[in-house]
Amino acid sequence: MFLNSYETIYILKPDVTDSTNLSFVNYYKSLLKEKGAQNIVIQHRGRRHLSYNIMHYYDGIYVQMNYQANGYLLKLLEKSMRLNDNIIRYLTVKQKIMNSIDIY
């Protein structure tokens, strides 16, 4: 089965504790592994000021996840994030894979 490369960034509410943040990271990492994702890399981007107000919050805690997965897994992940009250925004982008043909 062919896996696409994805990057998902989600923003947590600024009042989320470090332990809760870590539990979300571990939960999503285990979900990805359990459902067959590969090359999972998770980076904490820290607390940042939002460009605009989201749900009355001006700051958020950013977490970036890079992984390879199929579309079905992506739907499960995004549904889980949509139902999580501590996540105020998420975005997944499909990464283009560079082949040797693409390089001039």
Side-chain angles (χ1 to χ4, degrees), residues 28-82:
Y28 289 123
K29 188 172 186 175
S30 65
L31 176 70
L32 289 170
K33 277 185 182 179
E34 180 182 300
K35 300 295 182 182
Q38 297 176 357
N39 301 328
I40 303 166
V41 178
I42 299 179
Q43 299 175 350
H44 292 273
R45 294 295 180 183
R47 185 188 192 103
R48 294 187 179 191
H49 184 71
L50 302 174
S51 297
Y52 55 90
N53 181 345
I54 302 174
M55 295 172 50
H56 305 293
Y57 293 106
Y58 294 96
D59 293 327
I61 300 168
Y62 284 66
V63 179
Q64 175 182 341
M65 302 188 305
N66 295 81
Y67 52 93
Q68 291 179 326
N70 59 29
Y72 174 73
L73 175 54
L74 188 62
K75 284 184 180 181
L76 284 175
L77 180 68
E78 288 191 342
K79 182 176 182 182
S80 174
M81 289 183 176
R82 186 171 47 252

Side-chain angles (χ1 to χ4, degrees), residues 19-37:
S19 62
T20 305
N21 183 356
L22 189 59
S23 69
F24 287 136
V25 168
N26 291 333
Y27 171 75
Y28 289 123
K29 188 172 186 175
S30 65
L31 176 70
L32 289 170
K33 277 185 182 179
E34 180 182 300
K35 300 295 182 182

